[in-house]
Amino acid sequence: MRYTPKTKKGEDSLNKIINAAITVIAEKGFNNASIDEITSKAGVSHGLFYFYFRNKDELLAELIRRINRDMRHYLTLSTAGLNNRVLIEKRGFEAFFDWIYYNQYLYKILIEAESNNLELYKWHYMKLSERYSQKLLEAMNKGEIARYNPEVLSFVLMGIADFIAKRYILWTNSKIPEHVINDVNRILERILTP
């Protein structure tokens, strides 16, 4: 991003661009979304877009950074107060599924990043894994969960969550059925229990 707003009006303008971009990119795909369409939907000038971003690629990078930050924040809040890692994982998975269900456009943008900016896509998952691995290692050291390579375990768990979310939320636009949640919880218990 070229410029970070310092006023409420500037933040509002930037948020209009961000929100319009989310809608346009999620509906049309990154390659088919034009800056003209984004600025028109946002109700701002082209010049204002270029004040904040050099191009669409820079906009995508800002979107992925925000998605990453917002998702991690939501998951942290959703598991606050729990002190057993298996319970944290179960609640974290359910929170992730809720976040995806209510933020499907954001998830679609993340998928767009995979084919349009692989480094950015990798950054997202590596950032998630970095913090996730630390928490898993702490739980292993306390004897709460089985011992594995924490990074490998973080990617195994993210992979499970990611594909369950795609299968039930993105591909059918529905919440994840209770029996699937129950099966996921049983799988988590088997993988994690020491």
Side-chain angles (χ1 to χ4, degrees), residues 113-131:
E114 182 178 17
S115 58
N116 289 286
N117 188 330
L118 187 57
E119 289 306 311
L120 186 60
Y121 184 77
K122 288 192 300 190
W123 172 86
H124 170 73
Y125 282 100
M126 292 304 290
K127 186 78 170 170
L128 292 177
S129 174
E130 176 186 302
R131 295 179 185 209

Side-chain angles (χ1 to χ4, degrees), residues 66-85:
R66 286 176 179 231
I67 290 167
N68 183 279
R69 182 191 65 228
D70 293 349
M71 181 190 298
R72 284 187 292 108
H73 181 70
Y74 180 79
L75 295 174
T76 298
L77 290 178
S78 297
T79 57
L82 298 175
N83 57 9
N84 174 285
R85 193 70 215 181

Side-chain angles (χ1 to χ4, degrees), residues 35-51:
I35 291 171
D36 184 54
E37 213 168 355
I38 292 167
T39 55
S40 177
K41 185 160 194 69
V44 301
S45 69
H46 277 73
L48 189 59
F49 177 91
Y50 288 110
F51 181 71

Side-chain angles (χ1 to χ4, degrees), residues 127-141:
K127 186 78 170 170
L128 292 177
S129 174
E130 176 186 302
R131 295 179 185 209
Y132 200 2
S133 298
Q134 291 171 355
K135 297 295 183 185
L136 293 170
L137 180 59
E138 289 170 13
M140 289 174 203
N141 290 338

Side-chain angles (χ1 to χ4, degrees), residues 90 93 97 160 164 176 179-189:
K90 288 178 180 180
F93 267 60
F97 297 147
I160 293 169
I164 294 292
I176 298 184
H179 73 276
V180 173
I181 297 284
N182 291 338
D183 281 345
V184 168
N185 284 339
R186 286 175 48 225
I187 291 167
L188 290 174
E189 286 174 8

